Amino acid sequence: MLTVDQAVETILTHAHVGREVRRTLADPCVGCVLAEPVISDIDSPPMTKALMDGFALRSADCTSANAQLHVVEEIPAGKVSEKTIQQGQAARIMTGAAMPSGADAVIPIEYTTMVSNLVTIQRSVPVGQHVLPQGAEMRVGQTVLARGTKLLPQELGILATVGKADFLVYESPTVGILTTGSEVVSPSEFPPPGKIRNSNGSMLFGQIHRAGGVPRMFPHVGDDRTALSHAIANALEQSDILLITGGMSVGAYDYTPEVLQEQGVTAYFHKIIMKPGRPLLFGTLGEKMIFGLPGNPVSSFVCFELFVRTAIARFRGLTNPELPRVELPLAGNLAVDHNRPTYAPGVISIINEKMVIQPLEWFGSADLQALSQANALLELPAGKTEKQLGEHQAVLLLQEL
């Protein structure tokens, strides 16, 4: 069996980046990943500009309070002055307007008194006060967004600023979901004795969407080898990444590993040294990736976040595909004993202005209710772990797009 780190390394070795596709600022592309660097075609700001409503002036004229200056013009945003501010002069200026030649500072209007065309400056003014120099944000020819950058609303603003109305991003993978098991019924059906509702399908659909993939649900299939073979073949044709839940152990009706082998899938591992989620399968068929996930909901969730999410992130072109890992102080005492490395649900919160991690009480791989409260996973080693309030604990952040 592989460790979690070995399994992740194996997945990343066989994962590939998706095709490059063109998108525009009119497309819904928050969360997409740039497949090209973006270079500015302008200085930003394109001119030295005022950051406050007030008066543009020469700081040398205002080395002490109550200097009096002649106002020679008014400069609204969008206008470029043709005048040069001379000694003893000032210009009324609005926020965002281009600074006139000769002026090197702005005094906010609330620190002035104006009578006719004479303004009194009530305090001294240092060089550069409330002025943003041309090119302070970016310069012509500067790379402002690197290849591999995830596009959030602020990055879309940068694209618009530099005139990049269309751009290349990596496509998102189609991630198929095939749930299995004769004991599983639809969420809309009241389960008869011996049956359970299909929670994994809906949960995985949401996890795929949150990870930036395009989820596709295929019809549920029971423990019938022929039906399973047809269902897997159909799902593989229509998926970049296929997730199959259930049928991964060694029971009499656990057909999935054998069916995958018959269809030409190369399996690289089938078990992981971890809890929850030991019976995890990963394989490939050409460039398609296949994950066999455990049937227990919490096991399936954790395996998705550690492994499937990583594969989706690599496909989307992200350079750091794994969940962020941080060390946080514990919000209480921790005493556990696990026979395998364990990923336990926890809640990150802020107490007394400090970010802390609080382990959640849970009873194992079927406790989806406890998991619903979690925004992090505690990484716990095999064996006994005893820590006191305030000691640091490694956690993985369960982040959205």
Side-chain angles (χ1 to χ4, degrees):
M1 289 189 289
L2 300 184
T3 66
V4 168
D5 288 343
Q6 288 170 334
V8 169
E9 183 179 353
T10 300
I11 292 167
L12 292 177
T13 297
H14 296 282
H16 69 281
V17 178
R19 295 178 306 162
E20 297 177 2
V21 292
R22 191 162 291 281
R23 293 287 183 265
T24 74
L25 289 173
D27 296 323
C29 49
V30 170
C32 291
V33 180
L34 279 174
E36 61 176 337
V38 174
I39 298 171
S40 179
D41 66 343
I42 60 169
D43 288 343
S44 181
M47 70 292 181
T48 299
K49 67 178 184 179
L51 296 178
M52 300 285 285
D53 290 339
F55 293 88
L57 46 74
R58 290 159 30 98
S59 59
D61 290 337
C62 302
T63 57
S64 60
N66 297 319
Q68 291 188 323
L69 306 174
H70 291 278
V71 179
V72 295
E73 68 173 329
E74 182 170 290
I75 309 173
K79 176 185 176 182
V80 177
S81 173
E82 296 181 357
K83 293 185 178 181
T84 298
I85 301 301
Q86 306 290 340
Q87 182 178 357
Q89 294 181 339
R92 178 74 187 274
I93 196 165
M94 310 305 166
T95 301
M99 288 286 289
S101 176
D104 61 9
V106 171
I107 181 72
I109 196 168
E110 56 265 35
Y111 302 117
T112 67
T113 303
M114 187 170 176
V115 177
S116 187
N117 68 338
L118 192 67
V119 61
T120 300
I121 311 302
Q122 298 170 2
R123 56 176 59 182
S124 62
V125 182
V127 175
Q129 176 177 277
H130 301 311
V131 171
L132 186 64
Q134 178 175 338
E137 180 185 4
M138 63 185 74
R139 291 284 190 180
V140 172
Q142 178 183 342
T143 298
V144 292
L145 295 173
R147 180 195 301 267
T149 298
K150 183 191 290 187
L151 297 179
L152 299 177
Q154 53 268 42
E155 280 76 25
L156 299 183
I158 292 175
L159 290 169
T161 297
V162 301
K164 193 72 172 175
D166 65 90
F167 40 88
L168 291 175
V169 299
Y170 296 107
E171 68 174 343
S172 295
T174 297
V175 185
I177 306 167
L178 181 61
T179 58
T180 73
S182 295
E183 78 280 14
V184 177
V185 299
S186 167
S188 61
E189 182 180 344
F190 189 86
K195 306 287 187 178
I196 57 173
R197 288 190 173 108
N198 186 347
S199 59
N200 281 341
S202 300
M203 180 180 68
L204 289 169
F205 195 99
Q207 286 180 283
I208 292 165
H209 180 74
R210 182 172 71 175
V214 180
R216 177 162 187 174
M217 188 81 75
F218 292 98
H220 179 81
V221 61
D223 295 322
D224 179 284
R225 184 173 182 138
T226 300
L228 179 63
S229 180
H230 288 313
I232 289 176
N234 175 61
L236 278 171
E237 287 183 1
Q238 302 177 63
S239 306
D240 298 304
I241 301 173
L242 176 61
L243 313 184
I244 307 170
T245 67
M248 290 297 152
S249 296
V250 292
Y253 298 99
D254 292 328
Y255 302 127
T256 302
E258 293 180 6
V259 170
L260 289 172
Q261 184 178 19
E262 290 171 359
Q263 298 200 14
V265 173
T266 300
Y268 299 101
F269 58 79
H270 190 178
K271 291 183 179 180
I272 303 293
I273 306 172
M274 64 176 287
K275 180 181 180 180
R278 180 166 61 176
L280 173 75
L281 182 147
F282 169 71
T284 59
L285 180 63
E287 291 192 336
K288 297 177 182 291
M289 290 179 278
I290 299 93
F291 289 88
L293 300 174
N296 283 326
V298 175
S299 298
S300 182
F301 179 94
V302 172
C303 285
F304 181 97
E305 293 300 326
L306 293 180
F307 307 113
V308 180
R309 182 188 172 282
T310 299
I312 293 173
R314 174 55 57 86
F315 192 103
R316 295 176 58 222
L318 288 169
T319 54
N320 296 305
E322 298 177 61
L323 284 174
R325 178 184 280 105
V326 297
E327 296 267 343
L328 293 176
L330 285 161
N333 297 336
L334 176 65
V336 292
D337 189 358
H338 297 292
N339 61 351
R340 300 191 299 273
T342 298
Y343 294 83
V347 177
I348 296 173
S349 58
I350 297 176
I351 299 178
N352 296 327
E353 300 183 350
K354 180 185 294 186
M355 190 173 291
V356 296
I357 179 68
Q358 174 66 59
L360 289 169
E361 292 187 8
W362 68 306
F363 56 78
S365 59
D367 192 359
L368 194 58
Q369 180 66 29
L371 189 64
S372 71
Q373 305 170 50
N375 58 13
L377 296 173
L378 285 75
E379 287 190 300
L380 302 170
K384 290 184 178 180
T385 298
E386 295 183 356
K387 293 185 177 182
Q388 303 301 311
L389 169 70
E391 288 191 63
H392 279 70
Q393 169 63 46
V395 299
L396 297 175
L397 308 183
L398 299 176
Q399 289 191 334
E400 297 189 3
L401 280 174

